[in-house]
């Protein structure tokens, strides 16, 4: 089951994104944006350059100017075939030429620019040498909400990715856990995500027993035993958009304490979800979930933020954390994933992706949140 193919993004979609990005840059007091290969470039243009190229490739967005893509000549044909290419002016350069001089001619020599977070220091330092009066700020710092509000087509892809992750969970509940290695169950999860349409698996956390107290435990060679609580956290990309969900299962019958802690986390996750509404601050979601756990006496064991944004990457702004006053806007998508982690004993985490609607929130994960008993 991979579902129907999503509606393709159009050249107009990419043109609108680039126009919006340039406008937001101007509103932030920037002379423009410099976007290196990575998720921002894919989202803005539909072009995915070779991941390992050392040759300068840079999208230049400036208010009042058409978007321009500096690209190596040998990769220009591929760039020209990108869906967003009709809105771009390609500035190609050949080996032996100075790509920084070419780029400098497109920039305000005294401007301040937002730069995508994954730009190579090699390229940025060379631009600074060429234009010593320019200055730079990370794109996440300057425009943290650039990709945060999703349109209808993006929401459709995120919902499909969530449904695929849910299907993987429904299948993994049926496999045997007891006596198997964490890594074996993790491999099963990865295979299920791919079977249900994921092209990329970013993580498959299988944290059993005391390993569950480590939120980012990597599945290893611990053999899962009867009596273990097991945290499952898995996700990746389907049709270019992310999934990320967590459920906690138990091998055999749980103790009263294990049930109580799981019920507590489930209540906290519900409280975080119910705090989602337009105009609420991101930190309100964190506060709502955290209050439930703190009031029950487990506050010191909830050791991470309540959530993170998701889109063309599985982790991106906004973040549901104390101090983040960014208001929620319809179309934002993020995780709500409180947890309790008892060192040396066990952990519990429950996570759904949630999107902000006009009057509240909508979950993109629908599997049961009660404690599931597995063999």
């Amino acid at each position: 089951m991979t579902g129907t193919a999503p509606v393709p993004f159009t050249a107009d979609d990419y043109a609108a994104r680039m126009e919006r990005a340039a406008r937001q840059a101007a509103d932030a007091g920037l002379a423009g944006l410099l976007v290196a290969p990575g998720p921002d470039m894919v989202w803005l243009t539909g072009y995915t350059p070779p991941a390992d190229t050392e040759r300068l490739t840079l999208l230049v967005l400036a208010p009042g100017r058409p978007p321009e893509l500096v690209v190596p000549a040998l990769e220009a044909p591929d760039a020209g075939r990108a869906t967003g290419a009709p809105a771009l002016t390609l500035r190609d350069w050949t080996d032996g030429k100075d790509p920084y001089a070419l780029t400098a001619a497109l920039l305000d020599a005294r401007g301040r620019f937002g730069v995508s977070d994954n730009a190579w220091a090699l390229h940025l330092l060379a631009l600074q040498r060429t234009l010593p009066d320019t200055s730079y700020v990370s794109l996440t710092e300057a425009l943290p909400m650039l990709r945060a509000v999703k349109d209808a087509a993006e929401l459709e892809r995120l919902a499909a990715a969530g449904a695929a992750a849910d299907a993987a969970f429904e299948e993994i509940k049926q496999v045997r856990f007891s006596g198997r290695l964490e890594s074996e169950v993790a491999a099963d999860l990865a295979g299920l995500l791919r079977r249900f349409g994921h092209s990329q698996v970013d993580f498959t956390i299988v944290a059993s027993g005391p390993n569950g107290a480590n939120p980012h435990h990597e599945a290893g060679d611990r053999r899962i035993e009867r009596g273990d609580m097991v945290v499952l956290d898995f996700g990746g990309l389907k049709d270019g958009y992310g999934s990320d969900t967590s459920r906690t299962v138990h091998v055999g019958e749980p103790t009263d304490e294990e049930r109580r802690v799981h019920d507590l986390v489930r209540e906290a996750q519900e409280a975080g979800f119910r705090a989602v509404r337009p105009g609420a601050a991101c930190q309100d979601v964190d506060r709502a979930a955290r209050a439930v756990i703190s009031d029950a006496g487990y506050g010191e064991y909830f050791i991470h933020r309540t959530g993170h944004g998701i889109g063309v990457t599985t982790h991106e702004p906004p973040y549901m954390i104390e101090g983040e006053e960014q208001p929620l806007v319809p179309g934002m998508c993020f995780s709500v994933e409180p947890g309790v982690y008892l060192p040396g004993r066990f952990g519990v985490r429950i996570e759904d992706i949630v999107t902000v609607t006009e009057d509240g929130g909508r979950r993109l994960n629908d599997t049961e949140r009660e404690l599931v008993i597995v063999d």
Side-chain angles (χ1 to χ4, degrees):
M1 182 194 87
T2 58
T4 58
V7 175
F9 297 124
T10 67
D12 288 343
D13 291 329
Y14 290 113
R17 291 176 186 177
M18 287 187 277
E19 181 182 358
R20 174 154 56 97
R23 186 171 63 251
Q24 289 185 14
D27 292 343
L30 299 174
L33 303 179
L34 307 179
V35 182
D40 291 316
M41 182 174 286
V42 174
W43 182 79
L44 286 162
T45 70
Y47 175 48
T48 305
D52 58 351
T53 183
E54 77 284 1
R55 294 179 172 90
L56 179 69
T57 303
L58 201 65
L59 174 66
V60 179
L61 299 177
R65 296 187 55 171
E68 298 179 280
L69 181 65
V70 177
V71 61
L74 74 171
E75 292 161 13
D78 286 339
R81 286 190 287 269
T83 305
L88 291 168
T89 297
L90 297 187
R91 305 289 187 184
D92 63 341
W93 60 277
T94 56
D95 287 351
K97 302 294 184 180
D98 182 355
Y100 307 108
L102 171 62
T103 305
L106 308 178
L107 306 181
D108 178 345
R110 296 182 179 275
R112 180 171 175 80
F113 296 89
V115 182
S116 53
D117 297 2
N118 54 339
W120 285 23
L122 169 73
H123 299 316
L124 188 57
L125 291 170
L127 274 177
Q128 286 182 310
R129 285 194 299 270
T130 307
L131 294 174
D133 292 327
T134 52
S135 59
Y136 305 90
V137 61
S138 78
L139 199 52
T140 291
E141 180 182 343
L143 298 178
M145 296 298 110
L146 178 62
R147 303 195 321 249
V149 178
K150 276 64 179 179
D151 62 25
E154 291 181 292
L155 289 173
E156 180 181 328
R157 293 187 186 214
L158 283 162
D166 284 356
F169 178 69
E170 294 295 349
E171 291 283 333
I172 204 68
K173 291 190 305 185
Q174 310 305 319
V175 309
R176 184 169 184 82
F177 281 69
S178 178
R180 301 181 69 210
L181 302 181
E182 291 176 340
S183 58
E184 293 173 333
V185 177
D188 288 344
L189 265 175
L192 287 168
L193 285 172
R194 292 190 177 94
R195 194 217 298 179
F196 292 118
H198 281 64
S199 60
Q200 177 178 313
V201 176
D202 286 351
F203 46 87
T204 50
I205 293 173
V206 178
S208 64
N211 289 340
N214 176 2
H216 282 175
H217 171 71
E218 292 192 10
D221 59 3
R222 183 182 186 277
R223 197 168 294 280
I224 301 170
E225 303 171 353
R226 293 196 68 80
D228 280 347
M229 193 81 91
V230 185
V231 178
L232 305 174
D233 184 346
F234 49 97
L237 298 183
K238 180 182 187 296
D239 295 317
Y241 281 75
S243 68
D244 185 1
T245 188
S246 300
R247 293 292 186 264
T248 302
V249 302
H250 198 278
V251 186
E253 283 301 314
T255 65
D256 289 345
E257 182 189 22
E258 288 170 331
R259 281 195 181 276
R260 185 168 64 252
V261 172
H262 190 279
D263 286 346
L264 174 65
V265 174
R266 181 162 56 90
E267 181 184 348
Q269 207 267 349
E270 178 68 18
F273 168 68
R274 292 191 178 279
V276 175
R277 62 185 183 279
C282 290
Q283 67 180 4
D284 293 341
V285 178
D286 182 84
R287 288 175 175 178
R290 198 169 300 277
V292 172
I293 292 173
S294 295
D295 289 350
Y298 286 89
E300 66 182 293
Y301 304 113
F302 181 10
I303 56 177
H304 56 72
R305 64 198 176 200
T306 293
H308 58 81
I310 190 168
V312 293
T313 57
T314 48
H315 288 73
E316 62 185 44
Y319 298 104
M320 307 302 112
I321 189 171
E322 181 65 30
E324 178 52 80
E325 297 179 351
Q326 169 69 40
L328 300 181
V329 176
M332 282 184 177
C333 293
F334 47 83
S335 65
V336 178
E337 51 176 307
V340 168
Y341 308 93
L342 302 178
R345 302 182 61 207
F346 65 89
V348 176
R349 182 164 64 257
I350 300 172
E351 172 186 16
D352 294 325
I353 298 303
V354 173
T355 184
V356 184
T357 65
E358 294 296 333
D359 57 2
R362 175 169 68 96
R363 299 182 194 265
L364 301 187
N365 295 105
D366 293 318
T367 55
E368 60 186 310
R369 296 169 194 90
E370 293 75 14
L371 183 57
V372 172
I373 309 301
V374 296
D375 292 329

